[in-house]
Amino acid sequence: MTEIVLATLNARWTHASLGLRFLHANLGALRERARIEEATVATPLDEVIERLLRGAPRVLGLGVYIWNVERTTELVRRLRAEAPGLKIVLGGPEVSHELDAQEIVRLADHVVTGPGERAFATLARQLLDGPRPLQKVVHGGEPEPESLALPYALYTEADLAHRHLYVEASRGCPFKCEFCLSALDRTAWPFELPRLLEALASLHARGARRFRFVDRTFNLKVDTGRAILAFFLERIEAAPHEPLFAHFELVPDRLPDGLKDLIVRFPPGALQFEIGIQTWNPDVQARISRRQDDGRAEANLRWLRAHTHAHLHVDLIAGLPGEDLASFGAGFDRLAALRPHEIQVGILKRLRGAPIARHTAEFGLRFAERAPYEVLETAALPAADVARIARFARYWDLYGNSGRFARSLPALLGETPFARFMAFSDWLWAHTGATHRLSAERQAEALHDWLIEADGGDPVIVRERLVADYAASGARGRPAFLEHGLPGGRRAAASRQDRHAAAAEPHALNAAVSPSVP
């Protein structure tokens, strides 16, 4: 009989919740009385409620995050009316701080703040078997990885076959970057390496091939990083034709030779690094307590790009206290010159509890009241510029990060990528009034028109490259510029040439700074 349901609303179905599985694995004698239910923020609430209430459970544990808090609040409001006897327990980063300000906290019976495995197990036992808990808020305390049961056996066969599997080698972070909730951590706590490797081996033996590590500082300890990389290399080299993918967050200025000699051995498509640069401005870095050796970070990115097949996804944050549009643009250009495969342009968010809030008055930070609490303006970055960067970020995903415009992007970016792409972004917004629902055809047509009409590009060259880009993308429509065709026999030659270029260099940003692009 199921008496406990552990649930959350994921951003996407492909995301399998590691948190729920850790809670379930550490319920002790209550494990057999619990089940996991996952939905997405797009799942109709009637369906979610029906699934949650199946079997008339007595306790519901809900994971609450910045991306699902509004939908989860609506869910709890509905559950209060439809199942008044159900004990609702909240946990997660969104409800670990500033509790008095949140409607969802008022609606719930209990809240577990911080790491929840031990605290939730105790609370659930009290709710089911007594004595009745008196406190509404239960503090989870510091994580104790060595005492936790690992949850990886709870990934189902369907999870292994179709979803991202999240794993962690450590919890917490020793750094104090103020925009991040990990700034509140005292240090990073490692899981026991032999136990972790045994669990990874079991997952791999069951067929898992996509692993995403959630550690904030994967490369903090070289010996641990080497052991994990060696684990994946051993399996890749034993079965080189069997795809395997591993994703890690990498501290940008820490890449010793002990890791480099393993990273270079990974084949294309097997390794991805998410790397937070956030800002290159040293004054802003100091202001937000971010310790980063920019020279070393730059050298490491250049080395990774030149000597490895790792896919590099690098983050920048707009709206940090004291950083204006010119400084952010200079940072974008510096990063673009290093040729990462993706540049993720984000807008600063005020996570509940994050120390960034201490700069609000001095630097004129004004944040949205609703999740995800993005900054609306700062003293250095007016609201109009924040809106421009938000549009820039969306269009950059379409044109820069997508890989669909590998041959055309160099002409768009030129020698000043930020200024030129911002000019295109402003033009595109003025002509479409949309940042979403832009079809592949409309995207290609817009770039064609800007490069020729606004930028004065050679129509023949622009068209040749866009024709090749469009064909390589696999899109099946027919943009307007295709009606004009290409002169003589150049169409087929251009298509052949650019198809070969696309196979060799599939990422748009690589091509944007490569002199070999036709």
Side-chain angles (χ1 to χ4, degrees), residues 196-218:
L196 174 65
L197 293 178
E198 182 180 358
L200 294 179
S202 177
L203 281 175
H204 185 272
R206 292 173 58 202
R209 295 298 182 267
R210 295 186 299 277
F211 298 82
R212 302 183 74 92
F213 282 74
V214 300
D215 304 47
R216 294 292 189 187
T217 52
F218 165 76

Side-chain angles (χ1 to χ4, degrees), residues 379-440:
L381 200 65
D385 284 344
V386 174
R388 291 177 73 204
I389 294 176
R391 293 193 294 268
F392 179 107
R394 170 58 183 163
Y395 294 143
W396 180 255
D397 281 343
L398 296 178
Y399 288 93
N401 290 337
S402 69
R404 293 194 297 268
F405 296 94
R407 302 147 200 83
S408 305
L409 201 61
L412 173 56
L413 300 184
E415 299 298 320
T416 54
F418 182 78
R420 286 181 58 82
F421 196 85
M422 181 62 84
F424 172 62
S425 174
D426 291 342
W427 178 93
L428 186 55
W429 173 250
H431 281 72
T432 67
T435 56
H436 292 77
R437 296 181 298 278
L438 291 171
S439 67

Side-chain angles (χ1 to χ4, degrees), residues 175-357:
F175 302 111
K176 303 301 177 184
C177 307
E178 295 180 15
F179 53 81
C180 181
L181 273 177
S182 294
L184 305 178
D185 295 336
R186 182 167 55 83
T187 185
W189 294 267
F191 284 85
E192 296 168 305
L193 188 58
R195 274 208 307 156
L196 174 65
L197 293 178
E198 182 180 358
L200 294 179
S202 177
L203 281 175
H204 185 272
R206 292 173 58 202
R209 295 298 182 267
R210 295 186 299 277
F211 298 82
R212 302 183 74 92
F213 282 74
V214 300
D215 304 47
R216 294 292 189 187
T217 52
F218 165 76
N219 53 328
L220 187 64
K221 294 189 175 181
V222 176
D223 290 345
T224 299
R226 281 186 60 84
I228 293 172
L229 291 174
F231 168 89
F232 288 112
L233 270 176
E234 179 183 345
R235 283 149 182 81
I236 289 171
E237 292 173 351
H241 302 296
E242 187 174 287
L244 191 151
F245 172 82
H247 166 102
F248 303 96
E249 289 192 30
L250 203 68
V251 180
D253 56 5
R254 182 185 290 264
L255 196 61
D257 292 340
L259 292 180
K260 286 182 176 180
D261 61 5
L262 294 178
I263 292 171
V264 296
R265 292 166 55 188
F266 278 79
L271 191 60
Q272 176 169 290
F273 290 134
E274 182 173 346
I275 303 170
I277 291 296
Q278 318 307 5
T279 177
W280 293 105
N281 185 314
D283 293 333
V284 177
Q285 290 171 350
R287 186 171 299 127
I288 62 173
S289 309
R290 182 172 178 81
R291 303 198 310 269
Q292 180 170 288
D293 184 326
D294 287 345
R296 185 172 295 174
E298 191 171 49
N300 287 339
L301 284 169
R302 187 176 291 110
W303 181 86
L304 285 166
R305 190 64 188 84
H307 299 287
T308 79
H309 297 294
H311 182 95
L312 308 182
H313 173 113
V314 187
D315 299 331
L316 289 177
I317 297 177
L320 291 168
E323 182 152 50
D324 59 16
L325 188 65
S327 172
F328 181 80
F332 183 93
D333 286 347
R334 182 175 180 178
L335 182 54
L338 299 174
R339 303 172 59 222
H341 302 91
E342 296 180 65
I343 297 176
Q344 186 68 47
V345 176
I347 305 297
L348 177 66
K349 298 168 182 61
R350 193 193 74 82
L351 305 179
R352 293 187 185 275
I356 196 76

Side-chain angles (χ1 to χ4, degrees), residues 79-87 109:
L79 286 169
R80 271 289 168 244
E82 299 186 31
L86 180 67
K87 295 298 183 182
D109 294 288

Side-chain angles (χ1 to χ4, degrees), residues 127-192:
L127 290 171
L128 292 178
D129 303 326
R132 191 180 72 172
L134 299 178
Q135 74 276 34
K136 176 165 184 169
V137 178
V138 179
H139 299 288
E142 289 189 342
E144 299 175 350
E146 71 281 355
S147 70
L148 295 178
L150 298 183
Y152 304 114
L154 295 174
Y155 283 125
T156 67
E157 300 306 311
D159 293 334
L160 270 61
H162 303 294
R163 307 176 79 184
H164 297 298
L165 301 189
Y166 292 93
V167 295
E168 58 179 345
S170 65
R171 282 195 187 173
C173 180
F175 302 111
K176 303 301 177 184
C177 307
E178 295 180 15
F179 53 81
C180 181
L181 273 177
S182 294
L184 305 178
D185 295 336
R186 182 167 55 83
T187 185
W189 294 267
F191 284 85
E192 296 168 305

